[in-house]
């Protein structure tokens, strides 16, 4: 008899049980206003200049590394480039965590890939919820450091938008000295550049900083991110990274984005987004359906609605795609909204305004 063999039975147990990260693109939607992936709303204009696609690229393209090192004020030995910050999150686990023995620690609600990457590699996760003010709970972290090799802290945090208090960051880094790596995810730091802690790298050999070109540099489709750390940590990561992590066209465009002109354009974009963010905050606060607009240092804002499900679904059907955060701990009725162009922000406000009046009318008919 021919029994059907289940190929899943060959897969590692943790992979069989793994729920993949539901990125904005995987969630789909039929939108014309995309405010769910913290991207820049307008495509940048770069031309390819490198045509040597018959050749393998450099593992760590010299120009890209040199220019990023200049941009952040570090030496090239302290910089690694990879396929987005997401790859860097994973590379750190591959270098530092022994599956089945070591653990990673992070503080929900936060970026989802710390959990997914740990799960994929069979590494235990210690989830230490943030305290009421969305700051890390230092005592709980200290009490849970057993077996922890890697701590991820996202600052400014996704999806809450707040910065982590530098004093708390320092305490976590001090606590981990000689026992764990602390990775500070600065994916959104260009929106509040004065708060970077890159200059702390000189004091802490176990500190790692994650960066990306996906946000303020408006290059999410390029897939290019950076790891900043001591030369020793970079050397370790280079042992496990793919031989050619960056395609030639990616390196070509990344190098252009990191010229003086590229950086200047990035800063103009940040100013525009911060301006649109103030507009959106101001207008959202006036709306009936909005309970709270949380302060943000980034290119998105977290908003608490009176009925987030209704707002999310109605706007989704109208092609305005937001990010639902209701399943994250402590984020009942919260949606995350990426700051789009001014026109997109206005359309969003109009749509919620219309919804507000409709809800008001229904209420009045029900309770005349
Ligand atoms: C906090 C945080 N870290 C890392 C990433 C991933 O960045 P990249 O596009 O460079 O992989 C994101 C993307 O949304 C993010 O929000």
């Amino acid at each position: 008899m021919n029994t059907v063999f289940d190929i899943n039975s060959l897969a590692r147990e943790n992979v069989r049980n793994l729920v993949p990260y539901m990125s904005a693109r995987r969630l789909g939607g039929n939108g014309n206003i995309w405010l769910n992936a913290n991207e820049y709303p307008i495509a940048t204009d770069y031309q390819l200049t490198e045509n040597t696609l018959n050749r393998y690229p450099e593992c760590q393209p010299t120009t890209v590394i040199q220019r990023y090192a200049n941009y952040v004020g570090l030496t090239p030995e302290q910089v690694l480039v990879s396929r987005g910050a997401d790859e860097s999150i994973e590379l750190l686990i591959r270098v530092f965590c022994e599956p089945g023995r070591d653990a990673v620690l992070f503080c929900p609600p936060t970026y989802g890939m710390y959990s997914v990457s740990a799960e994929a590699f069979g590494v235990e996760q210690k989830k230490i919820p943030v305290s009421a003010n969305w700051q890390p709970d230092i005592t709980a972290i200290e009490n849970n450091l057993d077996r922890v090799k890697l701590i991820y802290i996202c600052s400014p945090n996704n999806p809450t938008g707040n910065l982590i208090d530098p004093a708390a960051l320092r305490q976590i880094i001090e606590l981990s000295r000689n026992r764990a790596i602390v990775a500070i995810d600065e994916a959104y730091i260009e929106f509040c550049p004065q708060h970077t802690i890159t200059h702390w790298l000189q004091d802490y050999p176990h500190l790692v900083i994650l960066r990306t070109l996906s946000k303020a540099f408006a290059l999410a489709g390029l897939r290019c991110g950076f790891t900043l750390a001591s030369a020793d940590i970079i050397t370790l990561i280079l042992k496990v990274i793919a031989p050619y992590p960056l395609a030639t066209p990616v390196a070509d465009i990344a190098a252009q984005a990191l010229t003086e002109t590229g950086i200047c354009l990035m800063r103009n974009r940040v100013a525009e987004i911060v301006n649109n963010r103030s507009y959106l905050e101001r207008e959202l606060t006036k709306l009936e359906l909005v309970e709270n607009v949380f302060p943000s240092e980034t290119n998105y804002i977290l908003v608490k609605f009176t009925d987030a499900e209704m707002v999310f679904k109605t706007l989704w059907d109208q092609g305005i795609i937001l990010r639902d955060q209701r399943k994250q701990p402590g984020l009942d009725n919260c949606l995350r909204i990426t700051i789009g162009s001014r026109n997109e922000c206005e359309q969003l406000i109009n749509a919620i305004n219309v919804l507000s009046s409709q809800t008001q009318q229904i209420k009045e008919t029900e309770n005349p």
Side-chain angles (χ1 to χ4, degrees), residues 284-318:
L284 281 168
T285 316
K286 297 179 193 161
L287 300 176
E288 277 279 312
L289 294 173
V290 172
E291 220 173 274
N292 202 351
V293 180
F294 295 99
S296 168
E297 300 282 348
T298 64
N299 67 338
Y300 52 87
I301 35 179
L302 189 72
V303 182
K304 185 163 186 172
F305 289 91
T306 49
D307 183 348
E309 187 180 2
M310 186 265 290
V311 174
F312 181 80
K313 286 192 173 147
T314 313
L315 295 193
W316 174 283
D317 291 340
Q318 294 173 14

Side-chain angles (χ1 to χ4, degrees), residues 71-87:
Y71 164 58
V72 287
L74 296 172
T75 66
E77 294 71 32
Q78 294 173 291
V79 179
L80 177 119
V81 62
S82 61
R83 179 184 26 81
D86 278 344
E87 186 182 18

Side-chain angles (χ1 to χ4, degrees), residues 84-86 89 111 114 154 158 185 187-188 212 214-215 223-225:
D86 278 344
I89 291 168
Y111 184 50
Y114 313 138
C154 188
N158 178 4
D185 187 341
Y188 298 94
T212 180
S214 298
K215 309 299 175 185
R223 310 306 303 124
C224 186

Side-chain angles (χ1 to χ4, degrees), residues 62-346:
T62 320
T63 315
V64 176
I65 294 287
Q66 185 65 59
R67 288 186 183 165
Y68 204 82
N70 284 349
Y71 164 58
V72 287
L74 296 172
T75 66
E77 294 71 32
Q78 294 173 291
V79 179
L80 177 119
V81 62
S82 61
R83 179 184 26 81
D86 278 344
E87 186 182 18
S88 177
I89 291 168
E90 186 183 300
L91 287 166
L92 289 172
I93 294 183
R94 283 168 59 195
V95 170
F96 292 104
C97 299
E98 201 71 68
R101 195 183 75 191
D102 298 332
V104 301
L105 185 151
F106 51 89
C107 306
T110 192
Y111 184 50
M113 283 305 292
Y114 313 138
S115 172
V116 172
S117 296
E119 189 74 45
F121 284 95
V123 169
E124 184 194 345
Q125 303 170 47
K126 298 203 184 188
K127 301 180 184 179
I128 310 295
V130 290
S131 13
N133 57 356
W134 286 339
Q135 292 296 323
D137 180 341
I138 305 291
T139 315
I141 293 178
E142 187 169 13
N143 292 336
N144 281 280
L145 278 183
D146 204 28
R147 296 188 314 288
V148 169
K149 282 293 223 35
L150 181 55
I151 300 176
Y152 294 107
I153 303 282
C154 188
S155 182
N157 188 41
N158 178 4
T160 51
N162 64 296
L163 275 161
I164 305 305
D165 177 4
L169 289 181
R170 209 177 270 284
Q171 277 177 297
I172 296 168
I173 298 168
E174 290 287 354
L175 283 174
S176 321
R177 221 189 248 281
N178 300 332
R179 59 191 297 176
I181 299 292
V182 182
I184 308 294
D185 187 341
E186 291 193 342
Y188 298 94
I189 202 70
E190 276 84 7
F191 297 97
C192 50
Q194 68 279 22
H195 295 292
T196 181
I197 59 157
T198 38
H199 52 286
W200 293 12
L201 283 170
Q202 65 195 36
D203 301 322
Y204 298 112
H206 61 302
L207 174 61
V208 172
I209 293 170
L210 308 180
R211 293 287 194 93
T212 180
L213 297 190
S214 298
K215 309 299 175 185
F217 282 91
L219 289 169
L222 193 65
R223 310 306 303 124
C224 186
F226 295 86
T227 308
L228 314 177
S230 65
D232 286 345
I233 291 181
I234 302 295
T235 306
L236 282 166
I237 300 176
L238 284 171
K239 287 187 174 187
V240 303
I241 200 168
Y244 311 107
L246 246 62
T248 301
V250 174
D252 186 0
I253 291 170
Q256 296 175 48
L258 293 167
T259 56
E260 252 177 61
T261 317
I263 291 169
C264 186
L265 288 169
M266 177 277 285
R267 292 196 174 120
N268 293 344
R269 252 178 250 127
V270 167
E272 174 206 348
I273 292 294
V274 167
N275 196 2
N276 291 351
R277 188 180 70 204
S278 306
Y279 164 82
L280 203 58
E281 278 168 350
R282 212 171 41 242
E283 295 302 315
L284 281 168
T285 316
K286 297 179 193 161
L287 300 176
E288 277 279 312
L289 294 173
V290 172
E291 220 173 274
N292 202 351
V293 180
F294 295 99
S296 168
E297 300 282 348
T298 64
N299 67 338
Y300 52 87
I301 35 179
L302 189 72
V303 182
K304 185 163 186 172
F305 289 91
T306 49
D307 183 348
E309 187 180 2
M310 186 265 290
V311 174
F312 181 80
K313 286 192 173 147
T314 313
L315 295 193
W316 174 283
D317 291 340
Q318 294 173 14
I320 303 178
I321 313 292
L322 311 182
R323 188 75 180 217
D324 192 350
Q325 297 292 339
R326 290 173 301 139
K327 292 213 174 84
Q328 290 248 37
L331 300 191
D332 286 353
N333 267 326
C334 286
L335 304 179
R336 193 193 66 194
I337 306 176
T338 303
I339 313 298
S341 64
R342 181 54 73 101
N343 182 269
E344 288 173 332
C345 292
E346 285 168 0

